[in-house]
Amino acid sequence: MKVAVVGATGLVGTKMLEVLAERNFPVTELIPVASERSVGKEVIFKGKSYKVVSMNDGIAAKPAIAIFSAGGSTSLEWAPKFAEAGIHVIDNSSAWRMDPSKKLVVPEVNADVLTKDDLIIANPNCSTIQMVVALQPLHLRYKIKRVVVSTYQSVTGTGKKAVDQLFNERKGVEGEMAYKYQIDLNVIPQIDVFTDNGYTKEEMKMVNETKKIMKDDSIRVTATTVRIPVIGGHSESVNVEFENDFTLEEARSLLAKAPGVIVQDDLANQQYPMPLWAHEKDEVFVGRLRRDETQPNTLNMWIVSDNLRKGAATNAVQIAEYLMEKGLV
């Protein structure tokens, strides 16, 4: 199967190449695509070197699937051109997520919405992905009414410039700033720009995407998204109110059996999810399960996942795997 990775030289694009190789996706020919300034550069895939080509050359190569991680404006311009050529696009940007004509997919939750006619498929926001993977088994059993989430998001969610800023600050070196403020030894309660209601775009993505992925507009979500000086892995404190009561034992069991979830909840040994454990893993880690003692039918949980993998690259590759397994591509 011919596969194009658009944005192959970026942080997420590089991770996509890694994940495709690790999961042995049946790539018969790789077509790395990037902006004009990167054309001619080389990327390594399974020990072999490939030259980066332009967008037009990527389309002309006629891949079956093109996995995009090249930013929203690039996706808005080029995804339809790839789709017109009959190429299935899996897009990692925010460009198509809330388009009512496009599917927004987390395979463990709603892969069943996909058909062979879906030529542009949206990959959700990283912080939304890990949350809905953990919420889905609980929603099916107890029906979620309301979610209050606070995130602790790593600098890799911003990109290489932010990683460089953190390390420069740690070394006391002046350099380019990805953020308005210092990130080392600091916490920034703003991810993306502010909207008219005082929430950031990142916060509103979590609100809107959760409802779309879980196919339930009645779920109320409120979010506070925060950037912290961690290299890889987003963490989330999630308070979930259900319509029906639960036992901690059953909730823990449902999560332990859920696809893509690993429960780390051993208080006696101080075992709980941390970015340290989640690094370079594809699963969503859940722990600190406890009742909210201030109101009925409400659970507190702590969710951690590698934002470059399950939050981006792995989720996109899993969508491609589903398309292939179901003969949709």
Side-chain angles (χ1 to χ4, degrees):
M1 183 178 285
K2 276 192 194 180
V3 176
V5 174
V6 180
T9 56
L11 258 186
V12 176
T14 304
K15 192 60 70 177
M16 282 171 173
L17 295 174
E18 274 180 42
V19 173
L20 284 165
E22 280 175 26
R23 294 174 75 91
N24 286 314
F25 192 83
V27 179
T28 54
E29 185 183 337
L30 177 74
I31 303 138
V33 181
S35 61
E36 291 298 331
R37 69 178 180 276
S38 294
V39 169
K41 284 185 182 175
E42 296 194 340
V43 298
I44 305 296
F45 179 68
K46 287 193 166 181
K48 192 176 162 190
S49 186
Y50 292 82
K51 271 202 163 54
V52 172
V53 302
S54 68
M55 293 287 196
N56 283 318
D57 286 347
I59 294 170
K62 285 279 166 64
I65 292 173
I67 305 177
F68 270 61
S69 187
S73 56
T74 302
S75 293
L76 283 171
E77 180 184 357
W78 286 98
K81 294 176 182 176
F82 275 75
E84 278 164 26
I87 301 161
H88 289 262
V89 172
I90 301 165
D91 180 50
N92 196 53
S93 80
S94 60
W96 305 99
R97 290 176 188 160
M98 295 314 298
D99 183 324
S101 69
K102 304 292 184 286
K103 308 289 173 58
L104 182 65
V105 176
V106 176
E108 295 92 337
V109 180
N110 68 333
D112 59 308
V113 299
L114 290 170
T115 71
K116 65 179 187 308
D117 298 323
D118 292 311
L119 288 172
I120 298 177
I121 301 161
N123 212 33
N125 183 43
C126 46
S127 47
T128 306
I129 289 173
Q130 67 186 68
M131 185 172 77
V132 298
V133 167
L135 290 182
Q136 177 70 359
L138 302 175
H139 181 54
L140 292 175
R141 177 71 179 84
Y142 309 118
K143 188 156 176 37
I144 293 170
K145 286 173 69 176
R146 181 171 185 256
V147 178
V148 182
V149 53
S150 297
T151 71
Y152 306 71
Q153 293 178 229
S154 72
V155 293
T156 47
T158 306
K160 184 180 181 301
K161 190 173 164 185
V163 176
D164 291 344
Q165 179 184 332
L166 175 59
F167 277 112
N168 283 340
E169 288 167 354
R170 201 148 282 189
K171 293 178 205 156
V173 174
E174 292 232 350
E176 223 182 339
M177 301 273 286
Y179 306 116
K180 181 178 177 180
Y181 301 104
Q182 173 183 320
I183 184 61
D184 191 30
L185 301 176
N186 193 24
V187 164
I188 302 173
Q190 176 190 354
I191 298 179
D192 212 325
V193 298
F194 288 106
T195 60
D196 290 342
N197 64 359
Y199 287 80
T200 65
K201 267 193 177 178
E202 183 85 356
E203 288 158 356
M204 294 314 299
K205 283 174 192 173
M206 293 194 77
V207 171
N208 298 320
E209 291 177 21
T210 298
K211 296 178 181 189
K212 183 171 178 179
I213 296 161
M214 297 183 76
K215 307 176 203 168
D216 192 339
D217 284 338
S218 74
I219 297 173
R220 293 174 295 155
V221 182
T222 187
T224 302
T225 57
V226 180
R227 190 71 69 191
I228 62 169
V230 164
I231 288 302
H234 290 351
S235 305
E236 298 173 348
S237 169
V238 182
N239 178 274
V240 199
E241 181 187 355
F242 302 107
E243 276 193 15
N244 304 300
D245 202 3
F246 62 92
T247 66
L248 280 175
E249 293 72 24
E250 187 183 45
R252 195 176 282 111
S253 172
L254 288 169
L255 287 163
K257 292 174 192 162
V261 174
I262 291 178
V263 175
Q264 288 183 323
D265 195 33
D266 179 0
L267 302 188
N269 292 299
Q270 297 178 32
Q271 290 285 317
Y272 30 69
M274 293 188 290
L276 201 62
W277 309 143
H279 185 61
E280 293 295 344
K281 307 278 196 329
D282 288 328
E283 294 82 10
V284 172
F285 296 83
V286 183
R288 296 295 324 276
L289 295 166
R290 61 215 187 275
R291 277 191 173 275
D292 179 342
E293 296 180 345
T294 66
Q295 65 171 15
N297 305 354
T298 303
L299 175 71
N300 281 307
M301 57 205 297
W302 178 252
I303 303 169
V304 179
S305 192
D306 186 318
N307 54 294
L308 290 185
R309 291 184 71 97
K310 183 54 185 169
T314 302
N315 199 75
V317 173
Q318 286 174 316
I319 293 171
E321 288 170 346
Y322 183 88
L323 292 176
M324 195 186 68
E325 284 161 15
K326 299 295 180 184
L328 302 177
V329 64

